[in-house]
Amino acid sequence: MLLRARHAAPAGRAAFGGACAAAGSSARVVRRVRARAVPTEQEQRQQQQQPGGAAGPGASIDGLPASFCNDFECTSSPAVEQTVRQLANDLGRFKFNTGCFQPDVEYSDGFWSFKGAQNYRKPGWAREALGAPKAVVTRMRMLDNGRAQIDWTLSGSLGGMGVTIPCASVFTLNLVTGRVTAHTDSWDLSALPPPAAAAAMGSRVLWSARAAGQRASDTISKGVTESLASLTSMDDEDQYYANPNDPTRFFQKDDGGMSDAIMLSMAVAGLYLVFKVFENGMRLTASSVGQRARLVASKPAVLAGSSSSCRLQRAAPVASRPEGLPSRSPAARGRLTPLAKAAAAQSAPSEQAPKMAVSEIGLVGLAVMGQNLSLNIAEKGFPISVFNRSYEKTEAAVARAQKEGLGDRLHGFKDMESFVKSLQTPRRVIILVQAGAPVDSTIEGLCKYMEPGDIIIDGGNEWYENTERRKAKVEALGLRYMGMGVSGGEEGARNGPSMMPGGTAEAYKYIEPIVTKVAAQVDDGPCVMYIGDGGAGNYVKMVHNGIEYGDMQLISEAYDVLHVLGGLSNDEIAAVFAEWNSSELQSFLIEISAIIAAKKDDEAGGWLVDKIVDKTGAKGTGKWTVQQAAELSVAAPTITASLDGRYMSALKDQRVAAAAFFGELGLKAPAAVPGVDKGALVADVRAALYCSKICSYAQGMNIIAAKSAEKGWGVDLGGLARIWKGGCIIRAGFLDRIKQAYQRDPALPSLLVDPPFAKDLAERDAAWRRVVALAVTHGVPAPGMMASLSYFDTYRRERLPANMVQVRRQRRRRRRHGRGGQGAARPRAQGAADAAGAAARPRRRPGAAQAQRDFFGSHTYERVDKEGWFHTVWDENFGSADSITTSAYNR
């Protein structure tokens, strides 16, 4: 089956009518047509002369039978299918179109590897080692949703013999864009006669040695580089192959200097080997010198399997102490035994306290976030000790660390005492347990064994006043306390979250060397900064989650308007979201929404998003944000509407009954608008979503600014926008513009009056109103967009009808005073107490969860067609959340 593609309509319009796929910055609409005969030679030449030198997606594939395209089945996405067919065509022509690859694609073939699409070149090894080389694709198949394998044969003459080499190329692809993220090649030389196999292997080895020599020469001196360049120079005909980073080339023509190049590379390798031996010898000598040595600690038993069966491994050398960190206490130095005693300690049971500190930091709580953050810390080179109240999760974390090659840096403990004593002083312990009483219980257990100067960091979603209460309590014992917001869900915790530490300023310098490496990295630094004193870190994370509520509500409303009133299919909406993700709406939530919309249900067929129950859970931070907005007299209608939307979604049974009840009264469910211009609607919804997002972020920033002023925290709003650019759930492209807005004016009263944002709002005002009017007219609820528009209109009004409200209030006040009372005004302190009480109440388990929450946090969801809780790995290549802690859920 052949593919024919056409470019999407200009910006502001979209073409629909088939399976949609996004590739690069442009969207493509792909439709299937009947198989036809292989084109003529003239047609093939015209196809090969397309821009970029590669055949278009609709081109036939050279070397394949006419019916071959019909045999290839791809159930992943149209974008993946299109790319796989293009790659098969490129293999047959010995030339890859780099547009099929992600810029940071990784290539490996066992002899050579590189990273970067720019390193792809026309294969040189086949052309130079074989006479009359020819590549023929024999099979294309999907290994799983995101991986495709193309089997092909390379034929020609080698050493006067005719040979045919079976080859296989495996490509890992992004399901949305279709671009290749990883590529591996393999050649089966066992199919060749022994002489030919030896010759082929020799040519590969020679090329690898020569490339390694050239790479090494670049690091030694410019003179050696120039001499190698002269040895490897080629005539004009072969200039195309002069790049030694060509991934599929294993041999270059011998120009008379091959032997010199090999000898030089061997000499370089020999010098490097001598240097490493000398370096290791110096390390061994230093390790035996008294006070100058850093003793390699014997790691406590690494837990694997049951507690009665433990496997022991030696710990990695402890990393250098951060600058400014105080030296060990005399008691701690006394625990440093000679090397012989440390080696003997390897046979001690894991339940016993270790003889010496082995870790720079500790973590308590190994649920989804804790397990992944501990692995992230270990991967960044910091030895870490972990502990969990239920021992099974500790074993699971250690097993996963061993599986990922981090077993020498992650140490599991069964009791709190040995866990604490395994840490270097001042001890630093991150707590990631459920907010409320579990945090208090954990702190109480730690305080039994921690010493003055040690640091406790609460990394959970905690009510900020609880953080300030605990800070005062532990400081009375000589300990230091911090509350640190951690955002990014499971994927962010594992690969780099956004981190918002607050609390004792003196304590931050002891965790700064760790968190700056563990946090997500963006163009202007790590996504972490010190927020402020007291509960500032937890407070900022709370408001971050409130903004997240607003973002998710607004995207779901955009989906609803396009799906219900516009009649767009899930495939079409996935393509729209993918296109938006390369615009001013670029964000993590838009990106995963495209993947969610395109996800097929592997069990029952159809679209998975349509099988998820339309109820959304909440963990409490959104409610706290709305409570604080009211307490501070800061308007936050978009965030409030998103919270109300979740509460309304929980009334599923009532909504079903109400739909039937009002249907009998003539109020039917909303449906697609006849004759709607889909392209115009997509453009309008895009504008409305962007304007509403600006309002949501403006409200969140105003809440933080008001609280910071009240508490004297001095929160840097521009810096806050910067650390939210990566790692966290609300990361988005326009956060950089928010950062610039507060850099231009640190006292900016609202993002709405920042000149660039104000211009965007004015330009999109009409489209925003059309979407809200359309939703209201046809009965589609869009509370977030409506509240945002009302917020914008109210803010820009010079005069409001508040004068009428004020007159009515004065009349009521006179009546109350006439009865001798002073009114029933609710004290401010009482409101704060109520909020704290709400934080301390036991939190209900969410009734259900939506696809976005399951994507980034493994929160699970319910289905409309079966009972139980379900979790889906939405995109294995993207990093959709999944871990040992969630593997027990149904899929």
Side-chain angles (χ1 to χ4, degrees):
M1 189 178 298
L2 301 176
L3 296 176
R4 182 177 298 168
R6 57 185 175 87
H7 287 286
R13 296 291 187 270
F16 302 94
C20 299
S25 61
S26 65
R28 295 181 185 273
V29 178
V30 182
R31 62 186 178 88
R32 303 181 184 277
V33 299
R34 293 179 301 173
R36 58 184 175 85
V38 176
T40 64
E41 293 182 2
Q42 181 179 0
E43 290 174 333
Q44 293 181 18
R45 285 193 300 270
Q46 292 174 350
Q47 291 165 353
Q48 293 176 0
Q49 291 172 358
Q50 293 180 6
S60 64
I61 301 176
D62 297 337
L64 298 182
S67 62
F68 187 84
C69 291
N70 290 326
D71 298 336
F72 174 51
E73 296 290 340
C74 177
T75 59
S76 298
S77 70
V80 169
E81 181 176 14
Q82 181 178 350
T83 299
V84 174
R85 294 180 185 276
Q86 178 70 62
L87 292 168
N89 185 54
D90 292 347
L91 277 170
R93 298 187 309 112
F94 290 123
K95 185 175 183 180
F96 280 117
N97 180 356
T98 56
C100 293
F101 299 87
Q102 292 276 48
D104 59 348
V105 62
E106 296 183 356
Y107 173 87
S108 175
D109 57 31
F111 281 80
W112 188 254
S113 62
F114 68 81
K115 185 174 183 179
Q118 73 278 5
N119 291 313
Y120 273 91
R121 295 293 185 271
K122 184 177 180 180
W125 177 74
R127 177 177 175 179
E128 297 189 8
L130 297 180
K134 182 180 181 181
V136 177
V137 175
T138 58
R139 185 185 184 190
M140 298 188 297
R141 59 194 174 103
M142 297 301 300
L143 301 179
D144 52 42
N145 256 358
R147 291 193 309 142
Q149 178 170 319
I150 300 178
D151 298 329
W152 53 290
T153 58
L154 178 63
S155 59
S157 61
L158 182 64
M161 299 175 291
V163 296
T164 299
I165 306 173
C167 307
S169 298
V170 177
F171 302 92
T172 303
L173 305 101
N174 183 294
L175 296 182
V176 175
T177 65
R179 292 189 175 185
V180 177
T181 60
H183 172 195
T184 59
D185 278 339
S186 60
W187 288 264
D188 184 9
L189 298 182
S190 63
L192 297 178
M201 181 62 71
S203 67
R204 294 175 66 173
V205 172
L206 286 174
W207 182 88
S208 299
R210 187 171 187 175
Q214 184 167 349
R215 175 178 287 182
S217 70
D218 292 338
T219 64
I220 296 175
S221 69
K222 182 178 179 180
V224 176
T225 303
E226 293 175 353
S227 65
L228 278 178
S230 65
L231 289 173
T232 57
S233 61
M234 296 185 177
D235 55 28
D236 294 339
E237 180 182 357
D238 292 326
Q239 284 300 312
Y240 182 84
Y241 306 102
N243 185 354
N245 289 328
D246 186 342
T248 55
R249 182 181 59 174
F250 300 97
F251 183 76
Q252 295 192 25
K253 285 185 178 180
D254 184 4
D255 58 356
M258 175 65 78
S259 59
D260 293 337
I262 295 174
M263 292 181 66
L264 181 57
S265 63
M266 292 175 64
V268 170
L271 289 172
Y272 179 76
L273 180 61
V274 170
F275 169 75
K276 296 302 291 185
V277 170
F278 175 76
E279 182 184 39
N280 291 334
M282 291 299 293
R283 286 179 179 174
L284 291 174
T285 301
S287 66
S288 64
V289 179
Q291 296 299 322
R292 294 187 178 183
R294 176 177 294 277
L295 187 61
V296 178
S298 173
K299 173 191 164 193
V302 176
L303 309 178
S306 66
S307 59
S308 61
S309 176
C310 299
R311 188 156 57 100
L312 304 174
Q313 296 180 358
R314 180 180 297 275
V318 178
S320 60
R321 184 178 300 275
E323 184 178 354
L325 199 63
S327 60
R328 290 183 190 274
S329 64
R333 287 197 298 268
R335 290 194 294 268
L336 293 179
T337 62
L339 188 58
K341 290 185 179 181
Q346 286 185 329
S347 60
S350 62
E351 292 82 354
Q352 297 182 4
K355 299 299 182 183
M356 59 189 306
V358 296
S359 298
E360 292 194 38
I361 193 167
L363 188 145
V364 177
L366 294 170
V368 173
M369 291 292 289
Q371 181 189 111
N372 284 279
L373 185 61
S374 64
L375 292 168
N376 182 2
I377 293 172
E379 188 175 58
K380 297 304 188 296
F382 300 100
I384 180 172
S385 296
V386 296
F387 172 80
N388 195 80
R389 182 174 56 85
S390 59
Y391 184 56
E392 292 78 10
K393 288 186 177 179
T394 303
E395 292 181 303
V398 171
R400 184 178 173 193
Q402 292 175 334
K403 180 180 179 181
E404 297 185 15
L406 301 172
D408 61 336
R409 288 196 292 271
L410 189 145
H411 317 295
F413 293 88
K414 194 174 183 179
D415 63 90
M416 184 75 80
E417 180 180 9
S418 59
F419 163 76
V420 172
K421 291 184 177 180
S422 71
L423 303 175
Q424 301 173 22
T425 56
R427 301 178 180 90
R428 292 152 286 183
V429 178
I430 298 175
I431 301 174
L432 278 171
V433 300
Q434 186 178 2
V439 177
D440 291 317
S441 177
T442 302
I443 292 173
E444 183 178 352
L446 289 170
C447 288
K448 293 178 181 179
Y449 308 107
M450 298 184 80
E451 300 172 354
D454 291 346
I455 305 164
I456 299 175
I457 308 113
D458 181 9
N461 287 328
E462 186 56 270
W463 174 245
Y464 82 100
E465 288 184 342
N466 287 341
T467 300
E468 295 183 335
R469 170 179 57 82
R470 292 166 183 145
K471 178 176 179 289
K473 179 179 178 180
V474 302
E475 284 182 347
L477 302 175
L479 304 177
R480 290 174 282 198
Y481 193 85
M482 302 190 73
M484 181 173 67
V486 180
S487 177
E490 183 174 0
E491 186 268 339
R494 179 63 184 86
N495 299 312
S498 176
M499 309 178 86
M500 294 149 265
T504 307
E506 179 69 16
Y508 179 65
K509 69 180 182 181
Y510 294 120
I511 69 168
E512 185 176 12
I514 297 176
V515 296
T516 52
K517 289 185 178 295
V518 169
Q521 308 293 317
V522 292
D523 56 351
D524 49 5
C527 293
V528 60
M529 73 173 187
Y530 177 68
I531 303 298
D533 197 14
N538 288 125
Y539 192 91
V540 163
K541 174 57 165 58
M542 175 195 75
V543 179
H544 163 285
N545 284 18
I547 297 173
E548 178 185 315
Y549 273 48
D551 249 2
M552 296 171 71
Q553 175 68 26
L554 294 171
I555 293 172
S556 69
E557 292 175 12
Y559 172 87
D560 202 28
V561 171
L562 293 175
H563 193 50
V564 175
L565 299 183
L568 274 68
S569 68
N570 287 320
D571 244 351
E572 292 170 333
I573 293 175
V576 168
F577 283 169
E579 182 180 359
W580 286 357
N581 197 45
S582 60
S583 69
E584 72 279 1
L585 290 173
Q586 184 276 321
S587 69
F588 170 75
L589 287 172
I590 287 289
E591 184 175 8
I592 69 171
S593 296
I595 297 173
I596 290 168
K599 182 72 173 179
K600 296 290 185 63
D601 183 5
D602 297 333
E603 298 182 5
W607 306 99
L608 182 55
V609 68
D610 294 335
K611 307 294 176 60
I612 298 177
V613 175
D614 55 329
K615 295 195 298 183
T616 305
K619 282 196 169 184
T621 48
K623 178 178 69 175
W624 296 345
T625 303
V626 172
Q627 288 174 336
Q628 276 294 291
E631 185 69 23
L632 295 166
S633 300
V634 175
T638 308
I639 299 174
T640 303
S642 68
L643 184 64
D644 290 341
R646 295 195 180 200
Y647 291 157
M648 291 295 292
S649 75
L651 304 177
K652 177 65 176 178
D653 294 339
Q654 294 184 40
R655 290 188 288 110
V656 171
F661 176 77
F662 285 102
E664 294 176 356
L665 298 177
L667 296 178
K668 302 300 182 181
V673 178
V676 65
D677 184 338
K678 292 183 177 182
L681 180 61
V682 167
D684 282 354
V685 173
R686 170 176 167 175
L689 177 57
Y690 179 66
C691 293
S692 300
K693 279 172 63 73
I694 294 175
C695 292
S696 181
Y697 279 77
Q699 295 162 25
M701 289 297 190
N702 287 349
I703 294 172
I704 295 172
K707 194 66 176 184
S708 177
E710 178 188 276
K711 303 287 288 187
W713 287 336
V715 177
D716 177 5
L717 297 181
L720 205 56
R722 187 196 69 77
I723 68 171
W724 286 349
K725 287 167 54 179
C728 68
I729 302 302
I730 65 171
R731 59 184 183 265
F734 88 141
L735 277 163
D736 197 58
R737 298 181 61 194
I738 295 178
K739 179 193 75 171
Q740 295 168 10
Y742 285 109
Q743 287 176 340
R744 283 190 294 268
D745 183 4
L748 185 68
S750 173
L751 285 174
L752 302 186
V753 293
D754 175 66
F757 280 125
K759 181 181 178 183
D760 289 344
L761 291 168
E763 291 175 347
R764 294 166 173 80
D765 178 77
W768 193 2
R769 297 180 190 281
R770 284 196 297 268
V771 172
V772 171
L774 184 70
V776 171
T777 302
H778 293 85
V780 171
M785 291 186 180
M786 295 176 187
S788 300
L789 182 58
S790 294
Y791 176 77
F792 174 64
D793 286 340
T794 302
Y795 188 78
R796 66 187 185 88
R797 279 285 298 276
E798 180 180 356
R799 184 171 177 82
L800 295 169
N803 53 338
M804 181 64 69
V805 176
Q806 181 66 16
V807 171
R808 294 171 64 88
R809 289 182 71 248
Q810 289 175 348
R811 294 185 62 183
R812 286 198 302 271
R813 186 177 303 165
R814 283 196 294 268
R815 289 197 190 102
R816 287 198 300 269
H817 290 334
R819 291 194 296 269
Q822 294 299 316
R826 185 164 170 264
R828 185 184 185 90
Q830 181 62 40
D834 290 349
R841 297 188 196 107
R843 195 183 291 118
R844 69 175 180 86
R845 172 156 173 75
Q850 61 182 349
Q852 289 172 323
R853 298 177 73 240
D854 184 61
F855 192 113
F856 61 70
S858 297
H859 291 293
T860 73
Y861 57 84
E862 287 182 297
R863 294 175 60 108
V864 297
D865 55 349
K866 59 182 70 176
E867 296 293 329
W869 293 87
F870 299 86
H871 167 61
T872 295
V873 179
W874 294 87
D875 185 348
E876 295 178 356
N877 298 321
F878 184 91
S880 176
D882 189 45
S883 71
I884 289 178
T885 57
T886 61
S887 60
Y889 291 130
N890 300 320
R891 298 196 187 187

